Amino acid sequence: MRPFEYVRATDAGQAVAMVSADPNTSFLAGGTTQLDLMKDGVLGPERLVDITRLPLGGITHTGSAIRVGALTTMEELAADPIVVERLPFVREALLLGASTQLRNMATIGGNLLQRARCRYFRDPTVAACNKRAPGSGCAAITGFARMHAILGTSEHCIALHASDVAVPLAALDALVHVQGVNGPRSIPLTEFYLPPGDTPHIENVLQHGELITAVEVPLLPEGARSHYLKVRDRVSYEFALTSAGAALVMEDGIIREARVALGGVGTIPWRAWGAEDVLRGAPARRDTFRAAADAALEGARTHPGTAFKVDLAKRTLVRTLEIIAGAES
C-alpha cells in the first residue's frame, strides 16, 4: 500500500470541500472494499477523508418510506423493525450480502459504491482493464469470465456489479441523496449507475467529491409479498452467480403490481422492466413467470464461461416469483 494522508472530517461540508478540491483525495467510511483495493495496489489515493464521525447514520420512518443515513451499517438496516415487516426482500438481500462481521462494518452508502468484483480489475499485474486503465482493453472478454455480466455489457467491459441490496433497492425506485460543492441533489437509483459503454471507468453519475448522505426507500404497500433469492457456489459468504429481487401485489390470483430486479448478471443492478410489463395484469402462474423471465433476459450477451447464466437467471427469477406467489415447486 502506498503512503497516504489521513484526515478526519468534522462536518459534511468540510469533507465535500476537501475531496472535491483534489482528484487524489477520497472519502473513507467502512472501508471494507476500498482498503482491500489500496492494499492490492488498484487504488492509490494520496489522502483519505474519514467521514465515519459525521451525523449521517440512522433510519427515519415516514408514512410511505424510510430514510437511511449513508453511514447506517448493513446490520443496522437489516435489524430495523420496519424493514423486517414492510421490506422483507431488502432484509434478505442484506443478510445474504455479507458475513455478520462485514455487515457490522459496511455502510449502506459504501455498499452502493462498491467496486467491481472482476478478477482482472483487482489484479494490477493484468494490463488490459479499461475500468482501471482506460483504453487498455478488457482481459475478461477473452479470459475466464464465469463471474461476469451478461446484461448491460459492451465490447469495452463485462465487469459485474456485485451489490446484493442494490437489487431490491433498484426494484423499489430508491432515491439517493447526495451533497456536493453546488449543494444537495437527489438521484433515482435506477439512474445512478452507468453501464460501461466506452467509458467503463465512469461507474455512476456522481461528480468527484459528491457525498452520499442518505438513501430514501419507498415501503411496499400493505399486502405486498416479496423475496430475494441468491444462487451462489457455496452457502457460506459468496457473491451471486445470479439473484433476483421481486415484489408482487396480487388480487384473486391476478398480479396487480410487480417490481423485479436482477443481480449477478448485470454491469449495474438490473431493473427488469420487461418482466414487470409481462407480470402486470397476468395470472400468478408458472407460464406467466417463465414469460417474465424470458423478457428479463432479453438482449443478454454471453462470453466464454457465462452462457450458463442466461438459463440460470431465468430459473432464479421463476423460482423467486413462485415463492412469492406460493406456487408449488
PDB file of all heavy atoms in Angstrom, residues 3 16 21 75 118 132 138 149 154 215 239 265 267 303 324:
ATOM      1  N   PRO A   3       1.878   5.144   0.762  1.00  0.00           N
ATOM      2  CA  PRO A   3       1.582   6.070   1.869  1.00  0.00           C
ATOM      3  C   PRO A   3       0.470   7.043   1.480  1.00  0.00           C
ATOM      4  O   PRO A   3       0.330   7.412   0.313  1.00  0.00           O
ATOM      5  CB  PRO A   3       2.910   6.801   2.070  1.00  0.00           C
ATOM      6  CG  PRO A   3       3.939   5.904   1.479  1.00  0.00           C
ATOM      7  CD  PRO A   3       3.280   5.223   0.331  1.00  0.00           C
ATOM      8  N   VAL A  16     -16.789  17.358   1.845  1.00  0.00           N
ATOM      9  CA  VAL A  16     -17.055  17.562   0.411  1.00  0.00           C
ATOM     10  C   VAL A  16     -16.045  18.525  -0.191  1.00  0.00           C
ATOM     11  O   VAL A  16     -15.523  18.301  -1.287  1.00  0.00           O
ATOM     12  CB  VAL A  16     -18.496  18.066   0.212  1.00  0.00           C
ATOM     13  CG1 VAL A  16     -18.698  18.574  -1.212  1.00  0.00           C
ATOM     14  CG2 VAL A  16     -19.489  16.966   0.532  1.00  0.00           C
ATOM     15  N   ALA A  21     -11.817  19.281  -4.064  1.00  0.00           N
ATOM     16  CA  ALA A  21     -10.698  20.126  -4.480  1.00  0.00           C
ATOM     17  C   ALA A  21      -9.501  19.334  -4.989  1.00  0.00           C
ATOM     18  O   ALA A  21      -8.582  19.925  -5.582  1.00  0.00           O
ATOM     19  CB  ALA A  21     -10.274  21.020  -3.317  1.00  0.00           C
ATOM     20  N   GLU A  75     -26.001  -4.215   8.937  1.00  0.00           N
ATOM     21  CA  GLU A  75     -26.621  -4.937  10.046  1.00  0.00           C
ATOM     22  C   GLU A  75     -27.707  -4.102  10.713  1.00  0.00           C
ATOM     23  O   GLU A  75     -28.770  -4.630  11.081  1.00  0.00           O
ATOM     24  CB  GLU A  75     -25.554  -5.342  11.059  1.00  0.00           C
ATOM     25  CG  GLU A  75     -26.056  -6.243  12.181  1.00  0.00           C
ATOM     26  CD  GLU A  75     -26.415  -7.650  11.705  1.00  0.00           C
ATOM     27  OE1 GLU A  75     -26.066  -8.015  10.563  1.00  0.00           O
ATOM     28  OE2 GLU A  75     -27.054  -8.370  12.487  1.00  0.00           O
ATOM     29  N   CYS A 118     -14.541  -7.904 -10.573  1.00  0.00           N
ATOM     30  CA  CYS A 118     -13.813  -8.507 -11.686  1.00  0.00           C
ATOM     31  C   CYS A 118     -12.385  -8.848 -11.263  1.00  0.00           C
ATOM     32  O   CYS A 118     -11.648  -7.987 -10.771  1.00  0.00           O
ATOM     33  CB  CYS A 118     -13.791  -7.551 -12.871  1.00  0.00           C
ATOM     34  SG  CYS A 118     -12.765  -8.094 -14.242  1.00  0.00           S
ATOM     35  N   ARG A 132      -9.784   0.063 -14.929  1.00  0.00           N
ATOM     36  CA  ARG A 132      -8.639   0.520 -14.145  1.00  0.00           C
ATOM     37  C   ARG A 132      -7.703   1.410 -14.968  1.00  0.00           C
ATOM     38  O   ARG A 132      -7.129   2.366 -14.451  1.00  0.00           O
ATOM     39  CB  ARG A 132      -7.877  -0.698 -13.608  1.00  0.00           C
ATOM     40  CG  ARG A 132      -6.640  -0.384 -12.818  1.00  0.00           C
ATOM     41  CD  ARG A 132      -6.084  -1.580 -12.060  1.00  0.00           C
ATOM     42  NE  ARG A 132      -6.373  -2.872 -12.623  1.00  0.00           N
ATOM     43  CZ  ARG A 132      -5.663  -3.447 -13.600  1.00  0.00           C
ATOM     44  NH1 ARG A 132      -4.626  -2.825 -14.128  1.00  0.00           N
ATOM     45  NH2 ARG A 132      -5.992  -4.650 -14.059  1.00  0.00           N
ATOM     46  N   CYS A 138      -9.958  -5.179 -22.404  1.00  0.00           N
ATOM     47  CA  CYS A 138     -10.711  -5.923 -21.381  1.00  0.00           C
ATOM     48  C   CYS A 138     -10.278  -7.376 -21.411  1.00  0.00           C
ATOM     49  O   CYS A 138     -10.662  -8.141 -22.308  1.00  0.00           O
ATOM     50  CB  CYS A 138     -12.211  -5.807 -21.627  1.00  0.00           C
ATOM     51  SG  CYS A 138     -13.217  -6.739 -20.433  1.00  0.00           S
ATOM     52  N   ALA A 149     -20.707 -10.267 -16.205  1.00  0.00           N
ATOM     53  CA  ALA A 149     -22.061  -9.843 -16.564  1.00  0.00           C
ATOM     54  C   ALA A 149     -22.467 -10.316 -17.952  1.00  0.00           C
ATOM     55  O   ALA A 149     -21.623 -10.539 -18.826  1.00  0.00           O
ATOM     56  CB  ALA A 149     -22.161  -8.326 -16.478  1.00  0.00           C
ATOM     57  N   SER A 154     -20.537  -4.146 -22.784  1.00  0.00           N
ATOM     58  CA  SER A 154     -20.077  -3.556 -24.035  1.00  0.00           C
ATOM     59  C   SER A 154     -18.803  -4.263 -24.452  1.00  0.00           C
ATOM     60  O   SER A 154     -18.279  -5.114 -23.719  1.00  0.00           O
ATOM     61  CB  SER A 154     -19.816  -2.054 -23.870  1.00  0.00           C
ATOM     62  OG  SER A 154     -18.616  -1.824 -23.146  1.00  0.00           O
ATOM     63  N   VAL A 215     -30.230   7.412   1.719  1.00  0.00           N
ATOM     64  CA  VAL A 215     -30.983   6.687   0.686  1.00  0.00           C
ATOM     65  C   VAL A 215     -32.430   6.610   1.151  1.00  0.00           C
ATOM     66  O   VAL A 215     -32.714   6.151   2.258  1.00  0.00           O
ATOM     67  CB  VAL A 215     -30.421   5.281   0.455  1.00  0.00           C
ATOM     68  CG1 VAL A 215     -31.224   4.564  -0.637  1.00  0.00           C
ATOM     69  CG2 VAL A 215     -28.943   5.331   0.087  1.00  0.00           C
ATOM     70  N   PHE A 239     -20.317 -14.288  -3.535  1.00  0.00           N
ATOM     71  CA  PHE A 239     -21.043 -13.401  -4.439  1.00  0.00           C
ATOM     72  C   PHE A 239     -22.001 -14.211  -5.307  1.00  0.00           C
ATOM     73  O   PHE A 239     -21.832 -15.416  -5.506  1.00  0.00           O
ATOM     74  CB  PHE A 239     -20.064 -12.604  -5.299  1.00  0.00           C
ATOM     75  CG  PHE A 239     -19.201 -11.693  -4.484  1.00  0.00           C
ATOM     76  CD1 PHE A 239     -17.877 -12.007  -4.223  1.00  0.00           C
ATOM     77  CD2 PHE A 239     -19.724 -10.535  -3.947  1.00  0.00           C
ATOM     78  CE1 PHE A 239     -17.088 -11.183  -3.450  1.00  0.00           C
ATOM     79  CE2 PHE A 239     -18.951  -9.703  -3.162  1.00  0.00           C
ATOM     80  CZ  PHE A 239     -17.618 -10.021  -2.916  1.00  0.00           C
ATOM     81  N   VAL A 265     -25.904 -10.636 -12.830  1.00  0.00           N
ATOM     82  CA  VAL A 265     -25.932 -10.744 -14.295  1.00  0.00           C
ATOM     83  C   VAL A 265     -25.688  -9.419 -15.002  1.00  0.00           C
ATOM     84  O   VAL A 265     -25.426  -9.403 -16.204  1.00  0.00           O
ATOM     85  CB  VAL A 265     -27.266 -11.338 -14.793  1.00  0.00           C
ATOM     86  CG1 VAL A 265     -27.387 -12.797 -14.401  1.00  0.00           C
ATOM     87  CG2 VAL A 265     -28.453 -10.532 -14.272  1.00  0.00           C
ATOM     88  N   THR A 267     -24.053  -5.339 -15.451  1.00  0.00           N
ATOM     89  CA  THR A 267     -22.973  -4.413 -15.134  1.00  0.00           C
ATOM     90  C   THR A 267     -23.438  -3.355 -14.145  1.00  0.00           C
ATOM     91  O   THR A 267     -22.619  -2.647 -13.556  1.00  0.00           O
ATOM     92  CB  THR A 267     -22.467  -3.723 -16.414  1.00  0.00           C
ATOM     93  OG1 THR A 267     -23.576  -3.081 -17.069  1.00  0.00           O
ATOM     94  CG2 THR A 267     -21.846  -4.735 -17.370  1.00  0.00           C
ATOM     95  N   HIS A 303     -20.227 -14.514 -23.092  1.00  0.00           N
ATOM     96  CA  HIS A 303     -18.849 -14.730 -23.492  1.00  0.00           C
ATOM     97  C   HIS A 303     -18.434 -16.103 -22.968  1.00  0.00           C
ATOM     98  O   HIS A 303     -19.171 -16.711 -22.171  1.00  0.00           O
ATOM     99  CB  HIS A 303     -17.944 -13.626 -22.924  1.00  0.00           C
ATOM    100  CG  HIS A 303     -18.193 -12.288 -23.528  1.00  0.00           C
ATOM    101  ND1 HIS A 303     -19.218 -11.469 -23.085  1.00  0.00           N
ATOM    102  CD2 HIS A 303     -17.587 -11.625 -24.555  1.00  0.00           C
ATOM    103  CE1 HIS A 303     -19.218 -10.354 -23.808  1.00  0.00           C
ATOM    104  NE2 HIS A 303     -18.248 -10.430 -24.698  1.00  0.00           N
ATOM    105  N   ILE A 324     -42.918 -16.247  -3.997  1.00  0.00           N
ATOM    106  CA  ILE A 324     -43.782 -15.121  -3.608  1.00  0.00           C
ATOM    107  C   ILE A 324     -45.256 -15.481  -3.769  1.00  0.00           C
ATOM    108  O   ILE A 324     -46.092 -15.188  -2.906  1.00  0.00           O
ATOM    109  CB  ILE A 324     -43.451 -13.877  -4.468  1.00  0.00           C
ATOM    110  CG1 ILE A 324     -42.039 -13.387  -4.163  1.00  0.00           C
ATOM    111  CG2 ILE A 324     -44.469 -12.762  -4.211  1.00  0.00           C
ATOM    112  CD1 ILE A 324     -41.549 -12.305  -5.101  1.00  0.00           C
TER     113      ILE A 324
END
